[in-house]
Amino acid sequence: MKRALDRFKNSAFRRFLGRHEKYAPVIFFIAGFIFDSLTLGRIDRLYDLIVLCLYMTALTVSLYLYNLVDDGRWKNTKLGRYEMYLPLAIQFFFGGLSSAYVIYFSRSVSLSKTISFFIILLVIFFANELLKKRISNKYLQFSVYFFISFTFFSFIIPVFISEMNTRIFIISGLVSLGCTLALIIFIYGASPSTRAEIRIVKLVGVILSIYLLINAFYFLRLIPPVPLAMDAGVVAHDIKLRNNKYIVSYETDEWYVFWRKHRLKYIHDPQDNVYVFSSIFAPTALEKSIIHRWQWYNPNTETWEIVEDIGYDITGGRDGGYRGYTYKNNVKPGLWKVEVITDEELVLGVIDFEIIISSSLQPHRMVQKKF
């Protein structure tokens, strides 16, 4: 062990960290992002579950160890040799867990929902960089930890119990809140330096504020209903089912419109139907009702009017997502959108398009894709 430690002290990696000590936390944060992006796939896969649980456990242990360093608790112990690397470990696990959530959230084609989570992650990242004490700031540590753990339990609990609804979300939040407050109280009681640096009432107030804010986002439908996500969503001219495959015919947009599969302007023949296809990712054994909410924009009142809600049930476990479609005929020209929502009216994704009714115009760049 001693020989391995001596080799590490004289290694190029150790010298690199010494030269770039200022940027090492950022490097480890990004390393966690990259590692997960290359290895994680779906939340209900055994490998993913093991990795996430190990990350969360290791992050909790690292925070505990790091917050007792200033008390000299690890001097003259084996841990004392590595205490300088604890901030890097914390950054790595922050980055690893954050990137895992981005991977799962980014399955949704609802860019607005995904981008809101990215903004939160960027705030965490830059706050960590701009604060004077960086990761040593205990208010920052535990605030980020609570946000990470809230998201962790919001993913993990529905997967384990194969149920997802508002009650489960509330339970996930309470479990996260309880675990975070227990960790804070445990460290506060064991570390005199922590008691001297923070005010426990202020820290608990910050954690409760974050808890209320996340719940407000949820009930205002500003975050997607994890762990469900919409893999694909298009407005189509025709859909056929062959050999358990959906053959979806739709018009593509210009090559540079990479964020949307279908063309926004939908050429509609009054004799035909307008189809909307969606593919929903759901963890194995999780069952849920999905609704296509068809809405038309009324230019006179400048409001979106709900035309019809059409629902169907999904069962999780399929890699390509659970597929389904709805259709309408006798539609009005103008702007339309179909919200793909749960029965709690949480938005999984939005498929928007403009209907142009014409018997002479023909759609071009038509493609067929199997789902």
Side-chain angles (χ1 to χ4, degrees):
M1 181 69 180
K2 186 176 185 301
R3 186 178 301 173
L5 181 62
D6 290 337
R7 284 200 301 267
F8 173 74
K9 288 180 178 179
N10 298 321
S11 67
F13 181 64
R14 172 66 182 270
R15 292 194 298 272
F16 175 81
L17 291 180
R19 289 195 305 268
H20 303 281
E21 182 178 358
K22 180 179 178 181
Y23 304 104
V26 184
I27 294 172
F28 273 73
F29 184 89
I30 295 173
F33 253 92
I34 295 174
F35 180 79
D36 278 355
S37 299
L38 296 175
T39 58
L40 297 182
R42 48 181 294 161
I43 184 63
D44 58 346
R45 192 175 60 166
L46 180 61
Y47 172 82
D48 292 48
L49 292 173
I50 291 174
V51 168
L52 290 182
C53 290
L54 286 177
Y55 275 3
M56 200 68 224
T57 302
L59 174 59
T60 303
V61 173
S62 298
L63 276 175
Y64 169 75
L65 296 176
Y66 178 65
N67 279 283
L68 269 64
V69 166
D70 291 340
D71 303 301
R73 183 67 63 90
W74 315 123
K75 281 187 177 180
N76 303 319
T77 67
K78 290 183 179 180
L79 283 174
R81 302 172 181 175
Y82 305 101
E83 62 185 26
M84 67 174 291
Y85 301 108
L86 289 173
L88 303 182
I90 292 170
Q91 287 284 5
F92 179 83
F93 296 127
F94 275 163
L97 287 164
S98 299
S99 62
Y101 305 149
V102 168
I103 291 168
Y104 303 135
F105 270 109
S106 63
R107 279 179 169 271
S108 175
V109 300
S110 177
L111 184 62
S112 61
K113 305 302 175 185
T114 304
I115 211 70
S116 66
F117 188 74
F118 270 98
I119 290 173
I120 294 173
L121 291 177
L122 288 174
V123 168
I124 291 173
F125 179 79
F126 285 112
N128 180 60
E129 274 304 293
L130 295 176
L131 285 177
K132 186 175 181 180
K133 293 186 178 181
R134 293 191 174 91
I135 201 62
S136 63
N137 184 290
K138 297 189 189 321
Y139 294 101
L140 173 65
Q141 280 183 44
F142 292 111
S143 296
V144 176
Y145 176 83
F146 176 63
F147 175 80
I148 293 290
S149 67
F150 198 135
T151 312
F152 171 80
F153 286 111
S154 296
F155 274 106
I156 290 295
I157 291 179
V159 172
F160 280 140
I161 67 175
S162 300
E163 184 179 353
M164 194 216 78
N165 51 44
T166 300
R167 179 176 61 86
I168 300 302
F169 179 85
I170 293 173
I171 291 173
S172 302
L174 291 174
V175 170
S176 172
L177 181 63
C179 291
T180 303
L181 292 179
L183 178 64
I184 291 172
I185 293 170
F186 187 66
I187 293 175
Y188 189 82
S191 170
S193 64
T194 298
R195 291 196 294 272
E197 186 175 337
I198 67 170
R199 288 191 297 154
I200 189 69
V201 175
K202 178 182 177 181
L203 180 55
V204 172
V206 171
I207 299 300
L208 290 175
S209 298
I210 297 173
Y211 172 77
L212 294 175
L213 181 63
I214 295 175
N215 277 275
F217 268 61
Y218 179 84
F219 287 105
L220 290 173
R221 294 175 248 166
L222 298 176
I223 58 175
V226 294
L228 294 179
M230 190 163 78
D231 278 335
V234 296
V235 55
H237 290 269
D238 187 43
I239 298 178
K240 292 183 174 64
L241 181 61
R242 294 175 184 167
N243 300 323
N244 200 31
K245 292 283 187 180
Y246 283 94
I247 313 299
V248 181
S249 302
Y250 60 95
E251 184 180 2
T252 59
D253 214 321
E254 301 290 346
W255 63 268
Y256 51 81
V257 182
F258 59 87
W259 59 90
R260 184 177 57 244
K261 292 181 181 296
H262 61 268
R263 185 170 181 248
L264 192 62
K265 293 186 180 298
Y266 182 93
I267 308 300
H268 174 59
D269 188 319
Q271 306 300 318
D272 297 333
N273 296 324
V274 180
Y275 297 87
V276 166
F277 173 87
S278 62
S279 176
I280 310 297
F281 168 80
T284 303
L286 191 149
E287 298 182 0
K288 196 68 181 169
S289 295
I290 297 298
I291 297 169
H292 280 185
R293 172 164 289 172
W294 290 72
Q295 298 180 68
W296 174 72
Y297 184 76
N298 189 329
N300 296 322
T301 61
E302 297 184 345
T303 58
W304 287 97
E305 297 180 355
I306 297 177
V307 177
E308 188 176 6
D309 285 352
I310 309 174
Y312 55 92
D313 295 331
I314 67 169
T315 302
R318 185 178 180 273
D319 283 337
Y322 187 92
R323 305 149 300 165
Y325 69 92
T326 58
Y327 65 90
K328 288 196 67 62
N329 47 37
N330 193 27
V331 294
K332 303 175 184 178
L335 298 176
W336 285 77
K337 67 178 179 180
V338 174
E339 291 184 339
V340 184
I341 61 178
T342 66
D343 46 6
E344 296 91 7
E345 299 194 358
L346 297 174
V347 180
L348 284 163
V350 180
I351 304 165
D352 50 5
F353 50 97
E354 179 183 359
I355 290 181
I356 299 172
I357 297 179
S358 174
S359 300
S360 58
L361 293 175
Q362 295 295 323
H364 56 291
R365 291 192 302 271
M366 289 287 293
V367 297
Q368 284 189 342
K369 185 172 180 179
K370 295 181 180 180
F371 291 88

